[in-house]
Amino acid sequence: MITYEMKSGWIPGDEENELISEAIGKVIEERESAKAGYFNLPDDSKMIVTEVNAYAASSKPIKNSDTIAVIGVGGASLGTQAIEGMLRHKYPNAKRMIFFENPDPIRLSEKFSMIRKEKTIFLIVSKSGTTIETMAMFKAVIGHFDLDLKNDDCERVIAITDDGSPLCRFADHFGLKTYTIPRNVKGRFSTLSAAGIVPLALAGYDTCSLLQGASKMVRRFFEGNEEHIALKAAFMATHNGSYPMNLLFGYSNAFFSFNRWYKQLWAESLGKIDRCGNRTGLTPMGQIGTVDQHSILQLIMQGPRDKTVTFMKVKDFENDMKIPKVSLEMLPGSNIVSGFTFGELIDIECDTVCEMISKEEIPTDTITFDYLGEENAGEIIVYFQLLTSLIGNMLYIDTYEQPIDEPAERQIIEKLKQGKEIK
């Protein structure tokens, strides 16, 4: 279970109340018209789990593997990492997951050295099937591991892409196993599609429970039982001039990759020109407590009042490691923490920082996980996707379009052509 609580500053006005019913209506329309398909993924992707499990049981390379290598950038990778980060501690026997997400030659070389071809399944994930960085890294993987796609190695490479994309046609040509992403699901909303479900299922994660948690959230929202999401969206949309930034403060290292996913989701979805020609959007920030509180707290408390703050915390870490009652000479003040579990310490720090910020009337809310589990991971993914859709409608933008991607990629390709000519 996850508990959502609005703290200080979230006072709805007439403008917010007028927006809420309109925005909810638009989200319902997006679902019914199939403009956005992510609402249906928690139920539709259950078929993928069944198929993946059957395929894995019949595939010798998969049964003999201990590593899942995911080649993909942005939405093709970040959501999978977010879920793995929240659940890895529960799966000590899961296959190792290695993500090729940035064409940094140093990191690529390091990751190559961690992999044995005969123990690895390679997943190339690209919705468009043409992503420059993804294809470059895929070529590097083929070259480094001498993958023979015309023979036995074709069984250790899986493609995840749009039906009919160039990558899909490539996979068909070589007989590679292929899973498709619905066309009405954008990359940053595709975590619960084959893009995330296939690698997680192959690694050994309980993706059925993950989807179940997401499905419950979708159902509750459309039944009108998650009003707090629309209230939060309305405040953020109507106050985006005075509070243009949202700081997501996750009090667990398990939220590190989730923060990265959230930043892409918001930046790419909400940074748009609205229907009146105005530049709009909300800037996402992701921090980890207690690490970042020693710097960010100072900025929040005495810096510009231009941020809302969302805390994510874990009630039960399911780990009772205690701070030992060890006396440190010359440091008697340290004895105050002796006997507490580390989970209690981080929880007290989170609550204290939240209270300090709330007393300053800075808009603050908390998201409390009863524990880090599969259903909670599925729920929080959908929660932020729904929040994003609502804010987008309230800002009068198209949340799902990506008007910058294609022009940027064309310019990159042109630069590459120029560089090749110079060479």
Side-chain angles (χ1 to χ4, degrees):
M1 185 177 72
I2 302 177
T3 304
Y4 306 89
E5 183 180 2
M6 312 295 279
K7 298 289 187 177
S8 67
W10 307 91
I11 303 173
D14 292 339
E15 189 179 358
E16 285 95 329
N17 290 327
E18 290 174 5
L19 276 178
I20 288 175
S21 60
E22 180 185 355
I24 291 176
K26 287 180 178 178
V27 171
I28 292 173
E29 183 181 333
E30 289 173 355
R31 185 191 194 191
E32 292 178 347
S33 68
K35 177 181 180 179
Y38 77 87
F39 309 106
N40 301 320
L41 291 177
D43 293 325
D44 292 348
S45 291
K46 291 174 184 176
M47 294 184 291
I48 297 175
V49 177
T50 301
E51 203 283 332
V52 170
N53 289 340
Y55 177 65
S58 66
S59 169
K60 185 176 179 180
I62 292 176
K63 287 191 286 187
N64 291 340
S65 68
D66 61 17
T67 299
I68 304 297
V70 179
I71 309 163
V73 302
S77 169
L78 290 174
T80 309
Q81 293 183 64
I83 292 171
E84 194 220 11
M86 288 187 281
L87 300 181
R88 168 55 75 174
H89 68 286
K90 294 175 63 69
Y91 290 84
N93 297 320
K95 297 181 192 294
R96 179 180 56 166
M97 301 189 78
I98 295 179
F99 296 90
F100 292 89
E101 59 174 340
N102 190 15
D104 175 335
I106 296 175
R107 290 295 290 143
L108 287 175
S109 297
E110 290 174 350
K111 291 180 178 182
F112 285 160
S113 68
M114 298 164 60
I115 289 176
R116 289 187 298 162
K117 182 178 80 169
E118 65 274 12
K119 289 289 186 177
T120 302
I121 299 299
F122 298 93
L123 278 68
I124 175 167
V125 188
S126 171
K127 181 171 170 59
S128 68
T130 59
T131 312
I132 290 293
E133 302 90 341
T134 303
M135 297 307 145
M137 291 185 289
F138 184 40
K139 288 163 70 74
V141 166
I142 292 173
H144 181 84
F145 294 104
D146 194 23
L147 294 180
D148 185 358
L149 300 183
K150 294 181 179 180
N151 293 297
D152 292 344
D153 286 336
C154 72
E155 294 187 45
R156 65 177 66 258
V157 178
I158 296 173
I160 303 175
T161 184
D162 272 354
D163 187 25
S165 75
L167 175 58
C168 186
R169 295 195 297 272
F170 173 90
D172 286 345
H173 176 75
F174 285 99
L176 307 182
K177 183 68 176 176
T178 305
Y179 294 92
T180 58
I181 302 169
R183 288 191 177 277
N184 61 349
V185 175
K186 296 298 183 181
R188 58 195 178 279
F189 287 87
S190 67
T191 301
L192 300 179
S193 74
I197 294 302
V198 172
L200 290 165
L202 289 175
Y205 288 84
D206 180 1
T207 48
C208 285
S209 294
L210 176 77
L211 293 170
Q212 183 69 18
S215 180
K216 289 178 181 178
M217 170 56 90
V218 170
R219 184 171 63 252
R220 291 197 304 269
F221 174 80
F222 285 106
E223 289 174 350
N225 297 322
E226 297 288 351
E227 301 93 338
H228 60 94
I229 306 178
L231 176 62
K232 180 175 176 179
F235 181 91
M236 289 182 158
T238 56
H239 291 77
N240 70 318
S242 51
Y243 296 106
M245 288 178 269
N246 176 246
L247 194 156
L248 182 60
F249 222 146
Y251 270 72
S252 169
N253 278 15
F255 297 131
F256 179 83
S257 291
F258 185 90
N259 283 354
R260 297 177 64 223
W261 171 80
Y262 149 78
K263 286 190 286 187
Q264 190 216 4
L265 177 69
W266 269 34
E268 198 166 34
S269 298
L270 302 179
K272 304 283 175 64
I273 295 175
D274 67 19
R275 66 184 184 186
C276 296
N278 301 311
R279 295 177 181 273
T280 189
L282 289 162
T283 300
M285 301 172 64
Q287 310 296 329
I288 293 296
T290 65
V291 177
D292 294 324
Q293 79 184 32
H294 293 277
S295 55
I296 296 299
L297 180 59
Q298 177 67 43
L299 176 65
I300 296 170
M301 295 290 286
Q302 295 191 345
R305 290 299 174 90
D306 56 1
K307 305 167 193 67
T308 58
V309 184
T310 298
F311 288 88
M312 289 208 308
K313 54 182 287 192
V314 181
K315 186 175 181 180
D316 183 3
F317 281 88
E318 300 181 286
N319 186 316
D320 294 328
M321 180 186 291
K322 285 190 175 183
I323 303 166
K325 295 180 180 180
V326 175
S327 179
L328 300 177
E329 294 184 16
M330 310 304 293
L331 296 170
S334 67
N335 292 333
I336 191 67
V337 299
S338 297
F340 284 96
T341 67
F342 279 96
E344 290 170 334
L345 173 62
I346 199 169
D347 188 55
I348 290 170
E349 293 210 34
C350 179
D351 288 346
T352 302
V353 172
C354 184
E355 289 170 9
M356 289 175 63
I357 293 173
S358 296
K359 286 179 181 178
E360 293 294 318
E361 293 300 313
I362 295 170
T364 307
D365 67 304
T366 59
I367 299 173
T368 304
F369 292 63
D370 56 349
Y371 70 101
L372 290 167
E374 296 86 355
E375 288 204 13
N376 286 344
E379 176 177 330
I380 199 65
I381 289 288
V382 173
Y383 165 85
F384 273 96
Q385 290 175 335
L386 290 168
L387 180 64
T388 304
S389 291
L390 286 166
I391 294 174
N393 279 303
M394 293 173 180
L395 293 176
Y396 302 108
I397 60 174
D398 187 331
T399 312
Y400 312 106
E401 68 170 344
Q402 297 169 263
I404 297 301
D405 275 12
E406 287 189 15
E409 187 155 309
R410 284 199 301 269
Q411 290 185 42
I412 291 170
I413 291 172
E414 186 59 34
K415 291 284 187 182
L416 289 169
K417 288 180 179 177
Q418 293 173 7
K420 183 160 285 190
E421 289 173 2
I422 293 172
K423 283 188 175 183

